Amino acid sequence: MMDGLGPPSAALAAVLPDPASKGVLDKVRVLDMSRLVAGNMLSLQLADFGADVIKVESPKAGDTLRHWKEALEHGGGLDAWWRTYARNKRSLAIELRDAGARSALRTLLESAHVLIESFRPGTLEAMGFSPEDLHMLNPRLVIVRISGWGQTGPYKNLPGFGSLVEGFSGYAHKHMAPEGVPQLPNMALADMIAGLTGAFATLAALREVEVNGGAGQVVDLSLLEPMLAVMGTDVSVYAATGEKKDPARKIASPRNAYRCKDGRWVALSGSTDVMARRVMEAIGRPELADDPRFSTNEARLENDAELDGMIADAVKEMSQDECLALFRRKGVTLGPVYDAPQLLADQHVVRRQCYIALDSDDGAVVMHNVTPRLSRTPGAIRRPAPGLGQHTGELLREAGVDEAEIQAMRARGAIR
């Protein structure tokens, strides 16, 4: 168990990088020119399963994600964002305003399979790397273009941070606080969903190239549209009926988080009639199952406040452990609401190694394990997150750039 941001317990799996590990995406080369979360989440999925992901960074500051640090009580900051989402990658620190550096990058692109970028639409073209030019250079290249709103449409040039998308998409409205204030998630939700969606799209485009003998293509990945895809049916209902869903209205009843007498919480989902009956039995009110007000989900939603209050009254008389034991014994789908210390101490999380402590020269950092789990070709952690420009020399040599030119670029500040 972790004490704040202190060291993990011995129960947490300690992992050393395994450079010899090969994944199912071995020999797939990815140049990631993106910044912050969505692109790094996308390329992390590919890197964890063996792709050679090269982070193309500014020699001066590097990827902005390097500077997202969590404040520590003893001073300084923990760069957990970078060390988690840049694992398994190599760093190429190169100044793209330098003609020689751009030429070296172009050489690397000749043998690449995927390019990821998150510039504002039109920036890649202004740099001399338009998709048309890139496909003349490398016809099989998959180009993933990440932006807030997409490469087309009237909003394409507007700033596209995830928080704006979480508001625009309806998420903040759907998660309205009791006092009527829209709530933004306290995490990079839109970016993470876009990253996962982008990883799928990248593999689909690679399959077209490798299996169907097709050409490379452009993946137009906005933060907005993957967010819309996970938002449920509110828009469908409005289009069909003209009615807007009340943000406070649930999709099923009983369903809520309830406070236990020890101050901890549990989450309950009784979304089927059978499960709702079990809930009523668990709180000592089995007769409610035959009450017309609670016999179907539709009826329960109409009378949710009353049912919710009865469940809350029952739960508040039990500790979290007592509540879990009772409801699980009754076969009810109820589970704990955890904070970080509880999560890391949970026996299931520990046994499955959902989190690991990745050791490196900078010390161990706790992070999520490779996901999902493949039975025959699992992913692995082959290297820790790179220092800025750590692999610049070796990558340029792999691209055939001669040593004299490398030294000349270094001398004029074009590489780090």
Side-chain angles (χ1 to χ4, degrees):
M1 178 175 172
M2 293 186 71
D3 180 14
L5 285 172
S9 72
L12 193 64
V15 173
L16 289 171
D18 179 11
S21 174
K22 302 291 183 184
V24 69
L25 298 180
D26 184 41
K27 296 184 171 52
V28 172
R29 172 165 282 190
V30 180
L31 267 62
D32 182 0
M33 298 171 68
S34 71
R35 299 292 181 267
L36 288 175
V37 181
N40 275 303
M41 182 60 163
L42 192 170
S43 60
L44 174 69
Q45 308 310 306
L46 307 179
D48 278 356
F49 287 92
D52 178 19
V53 174
I54 300 167
K55 282 296 305 181
V56 181
E57 306 182 73
S58 160
K60 294 181 180 178
D63 191 322
T64 313
L65 198 64
R66 289 182 179 274
H67 308 290
W68 277 22
K69 296 185 178 182
E70 308 287 349
L72 301 179
E73 289 183 7
H74 59 269
L78 176 68
D79 55 347
W81 280 94
W82 176 253
R83 291 172 68 178
T84 297
Y85 295 98
R87 70 189 186 199
N88 283 335
K89 303 176 185 180
R90 296 196 282 173
S91 173
L92 172 68
I94 191 165
E95 177 54 73
L96 293 178
R97 288 174 292 188
D98 182 272
R102 287 197 304 274
S103 176
L105 180 63
R106 191 174 294 273
T107 302
L108 282 168
L109 284 166
E110 290 178 3
S111 61
H113 300 87
V114 179
L115 170 66
I116 303 169
E117 62 97 355
S118 61
F119 301 114
R120 186 172 292 191
T123 302
L124 196 67
E125 288 81 352
M127 293 166 55
F129 293 108
S130 71
E132 294 77 16
D133 290 339
L134 290 174
H135 281 144
M136 288 182 64
L137 179 72
N138 181 351
R140 295 163 63 86
L141 185 66
V142 173
I143 305 168
V144 184
R145 311 196 70 176
I146 304 171
S147 63
W149 314 101
Q151 299 296 314
T152 61
Y155 297 159
K156 68 178 184 179
N157 290 317
L158 291 179
F161 279 40
S163 298
L164 306 185
V165 168
E166 288 147 9
F168 188 103
S169 66
Y171 177 92
H173 181 266
K174 192 177 184 72
H175 296 81
M176 195 82 72
E179 60 272 21
V181 179
Q183 296 294 293
L184 292 171
N186 191 21
M187 58 176 290
L189 183 63
D191 289 80
M192 294 298 189
I193 292 173
L196 293 171
T197 302
F200 162 76
T202 300
L203 293 178
L206 283 174
R207 179 175 173 84
E208 166 66 13
V209 172
E210 296 171 359
V211 176
N212 298 329
Q217 58 186 298
V218 174
V219 176
D220 182 355
L221 178 64
S222 73
L223 301 189
L224 174 63
E225 286 147 336
M227 196 70 187
L228 297 179
V230 302
M231 282 297 297
T233 60
D234 289 11
V235 171
S236 301
V237 170
Y238 174 74
T241 66
E243 297 180 5
K244 291 195 299 182
K245 278 188 180 180
D246 180 351
R249 184 175 175 86
K250 301 175 183 177
I251 58 175
S253 176
R255 181 177 185 267
N256 211 341
Y258 301 95
R259 187 182 179 92
C260 304
K261 72 176 182 181
D262 57 4
R264 294 183 173 182
W265 292 75
V266 290
L268 168 68
S269 177
S271 54
T272 68
D273 293 342
V274 170
M275 193 57 64
R277 179 181 291 271
R278 293 177 185 172
V279 172
M280 296 166 195
E281 291 174 355
I283 65 172
R285 300 295 302 274
E287 75 280 1
L288 295 178
D290 298 319
D291 187 322
R293 294 174 301 160
F294 308 114
S295 58
T296 67
N297 186 58
E298 186 177 14
R300 289 191 296 274
L301 285 170
E302 292 299 322
N303 298 279
D304 179 69
E306 185 177 355
L307 179 59
D308 198 59
M310 288 186 279
I311 296 170
D313 287 342
V315 169
K316 71 182 182 182
E317 299 301 320
M318 296 176 276
S319 69
Q320 187 187 62
D321 287 343
E322 291 168 342
C323 187
L324 290 170
L326 171 64
F327 279 77
R328 285 172 176 172
R329 188 167 64 247
K330 295 290 186 179
V332 175
T333 45
L334 176 140
V337 175
Y338 277 162
D339 57 15
Q342 290 175 291
L343 186 61
L344 283 178
D346 185 90
Q347 61 177 343
H348 183 82
V349 172
V350 172
R351 190 74 58 84
R352 279 182 63 86
Q353 297 186 1
C354 298
Y355 287 92
I356 52 92
L358 180 62
D359 206 358
S360 71
D361 293 339
D362 297 323
V365 169
V366 174
M367 61 186 67
H368 71 277
N369 209 340
V370 175
T371 185
R373 298 166 188 254
L374 276 63
S375 63
R376 194 172 64 82
T377 55
I381 298 179
R382 302 185 311 283
R383 64 175 83 237
L388 179 56
Q390 180 177 340
H391 305 97
T392 300
E394 71 180 55
L395 285 165
L396 293 178
R397 293 182 190 99
E398 287 176 16
V401 180
D402 65 58
E403 195 64 33
E405 177 58 20
I406 292 173
Q407 295 303 326
M409 283 195 285
R410 182 174 289 118
R412 65 177 184 266
I415 61 173
R416 173 170 173 171

